[in-house]
Amino acid sequence: MIRPAELIQRKRDGEELADAELAELILDYARGGVPDYQLAAFLMAIYFRGLSERETFALTDAMVRSGDTIDLGAALGRRVVDKHSTGGVGDKTTLAVGPIVAACGVPFGKMSGRGLGHTGGTLDKLESIPGYRVELTTEEFVAQVRDIGLAVVGQSASLVPADKKLYALRDVTATVENVSLIAASIMSKKLAAGADAVVLDVKVGNGAFMKSLEAARELGEAMIALGRRAGREVVCVLTDMDQPLGCAVGNSLEVREAAATVRGDGPPDFTELVLDAAAHLLALSDLGVDRAEARRRAEAAVADGSARAAYERWLRAQGGDPDESLLPVAPVVRAVSAPRDGHVTRLAALPVGLAALHLGAGRREKDDAIDHAVGVVCARKRGDSVARGEPLAEIHARDEPSADEAATAVLAAYELGDEPPEHRPIVLETLG
Ligand code: URA
């Protein structure tokens, strides 16, 4: 029998705890046997003292064991690949990667989350599609991946319940930003959902959790170590989130952009990230191809229309209508014009994400309703040239006052200069 107060004290003093001690504490907490105040103190001790690689794995393993797990691989008789992004502004990658991977013959079944703060969630984006059902039973989810090759659903409440409780506690006790806790939270969900191989996209920059390349690298390496200890293959790409990904920020606007990308008409940075992620997933799958061949197949699926067909099949299977004219449209569309001639030297992701949030595209509180029609489209990105009076961005708003406020915020997110900035690729580094 563990004594939580003793474990808190030993972690506070920098001791390394035994696997069984960590497991018992986390499993007891998930069952309601340890109060929030003791876990809050324990999390703060971890925040300051950290966890060793072994302890981080013990924590992750206990979190997985706190609920159900899904063996999608056994149900399909195939090797299962999955992806995860740490979240950012305009990140609609799953919506485009899923259909490309499925079109190449690799099953893609993903459990996604909702957005909080300035970062959007895949489920919220999908819910802007009329009729789309994010809640499938586990049986429906598995059957759809088997029959259609693709399903994206909300995470079942019975999967990693310890993470739900711990994340909510971390959120209100200033203990989110710890590499071991973030790595355990993300990887426990991937392991419980049954992935044999995982592609992790760690966002770096102004609009991301990880503000520096060093911090992103540390998180990526921690997650790769956890995956390997659990016997899974993990590749981690560190990608730019200093500016929004692609042009569209806001739910239905992002669905349109993802659909365009699947047809081959997407913005260059987003298209590159999608093809890179799809190539990693295909190379990790049971197709038996290397990355160069995987990339060629991903590009071919976009070019020959099979990715688009997979996209439509997927939405219909989940009750959604792929007709883009049915997506919600905002009543007010306002251009943000360039105040001078020049080059965009900076476009900060965070203020654009916050502008979209204030327009109603995201939630300030967990249970807030979302306006799926509103958001921001960045017509110019870092490195683009612009003439005075030409549009930098477009605001899609519910009313004039909110459009005014967003236009001011988005204009302030742009910096214009005489010379183009140095090119920064979307994929900054690949680990694993
Ligand atoms: N995303 C997660 O799922 N968990 C974290 O702790 C941070 C980001």
Side-chain angles (χ1 to χ4, degrees):
M1 233 357 218
I2 50 136
R3 288 186 49 246
E6 186 196 314
L7 297 190
I8 297 166
Q9 184 193 343
R10 284 169 50 208
K11 182 43 72 186
R12 181 201 68 191
D13 295 343
E15 245 188 71
E16 199 176 346
L17 302 180
D19 293 359
E21 291 173 325
L22 278 163
E24 203 175 325
L25 180 66
I26 295 305
L27 292 170
D28 265 6
Y29 175 64
R31 283 192 292 263
V34 177
D36 277 348
Y37 59 80
Q38 284 189 309
L39 242 292
F42 188 68
L43 291 170
M44 191 55 87
I46 291 178
Y47 182 87
F48 283 115
R49 289 297 193 169
L51 291 176
S52 68
E53 195 180 307
R54 181 187 55 71
E55 286 177 307
T56 309
F57 183 72
L59 170 68
T60 309
D61 184 56
M63 287 166 74
V64 171
R65 287 193 283 125
S66 71
D68 295 341
T69 55
I70 299 179
D71 195 348
L72 197 53
L76 302 174
R78 296 276 307 262
R79 185 174 157 81
V80 169
V81 293
D82 197 357
K83 73 166 274 295
H84 182 87
S85 152
T86 56
V89 178
D91 187 0
K92 70 280 302 170
T93 310
T94 293
L95 274 52
V97 164
I100 294 172
V101 168
C104 293
V106 170
F108 190 79
K110 179 155 167 53
M111 299 203 169
S112 284
R114 296 193 182 278
L116 193 62
H118 69 279
T119 66
T122 301
L123 291 189
D124 299 321
K125 294 168 206 206
L126 286 168
E127 278 180 341
S128 61
I129 299 168
Y132 190 93
R133 289 172 58 213
V134 298
E135 283 179 18
L136 301 187
T137 64
T138 301
E139 293 71 34
E140 287 173 321
F141 172 66
V142 171
Q144 187 175 311
V145 179
R146 191 186 54 228
D147 301 341
I148 308 290
L150 177 54
V152 182
V153 297
Q155 189 174 306
S156 137
S158 61
L159 218 75
V160 203
D163 180 61
K164 262 200 187 91
K165 271 187 93 170
L166 283 169
Y167 194 87
L169 192 59
R170 288 165 60 208
D171 200 25
V172 293
T173 56
T175 51
V176 169
E177 297 92 343
N178 172 273
V179 165
S180 294
L181 295 176
I182 297 176
S185 165
I186 292 173
M187 289 305 290
S188 61
K189 288 173 279 195
K190 297 290 111 183
L191 299 177
D196 297 301
V198 186
V199 176
L200 298 165
D201 178 0
V202 176
K203 302 284 181 207
V204 192
N206 172 272
F209 264 130
M210 298 292 139
K211 305 293 180 204
S212 72
L213 203 50
E214 292 68 36
R217 209 177 276 137
E218 196 191 341
L219 176 60
E221 279 162 2
M223 293 194 288
I224 290 171
L226 285 178
R228 295 222 169 115
R229 270 183 185 251
R232 321 292 165 104
E233 264 189 273
V234 184
V235 169
C236 179
V237 288
L238 310 184
T239 70
D240 181 41
M241 186 38 71
D242 232 21
Q243 65 173 347
L245 179 59
C247 301
V249 182
N251 301 285
S252 65
L253 298 167
E254 293 190 44
V255 169
R256 266 179 229 285
E257 187 162 275
T261 304
V262 166
R263 282 195 306 267
D265 287 332
D269 62 339
F270 181 56
T271 300
E272 175 54 30
L273 177 60
V274 164
L275 291 171
D276 187 71
H280 279 299
L281 287 161
L282 295 177
L284 288 170
S285 77
D286 55 12
L287 287 183
V289 296
D290 64 12
R291 254 225 305 143
E293 173 60 12
R295 172 78 184 220
R296 203 195 56 68
R297 290 194 192 188
E299 287 173 3
V302 172
D304 68 14
S306 56
R308 176 70 198 179
Y311 175 78
E312 295 187 3
R313 238 184 354 262
W314 158 44
L315 296 194
R316 287 210 178 87
Q318 239 165 301
D321 194 324
D323 179 352
E324 282 164 48
S325 71
L326 300 177
L327 287 168
V329 175
V332 176
V333 179
R334 171 86 54 84
V336 177
S337 305
R340 53 163 283 188
D341 294 351
H343 297 270
V344 177
T345 51
R346 179 130 205 264
L347 166 55
L350 182 59
V352 175
L354 289 174
L357 171 69
H358 294 145
L359 284 165
R363 294 183 186 82
R364 285 171 230 237
E365 303 279 337
K366 187 159 93 4
D367 297 319
D368 283 354
I370 276 191
D371 186 339
H372 290 103
V374 301
V376 179
V377 178
C378 300
R380 297 291 201 286
K381 302 265 317 257
R382 191 178 52 227
D384 289 344
S385 62
V386 67
R388 183 166 183 267
E390 281 183 349
L392 287 171
E394 235 175 34
I395 308 295
H396 294 243
R398 190 51 54 193
D399 52 40
E400 299 290 344
S402 63
D404 287 343
E405 197 188 314
T408 306
V410 169
L411 183 58
Y414 277 92
E415 284 174 18
L416 302 179
D418 296 330
E419 300 296 329
E422 208 178 294
H423 176 68
R424 186 175 158 97
I426 184 73
V427 179
L428 302 168
E429 244 176 73
T430 302
L431 312 173

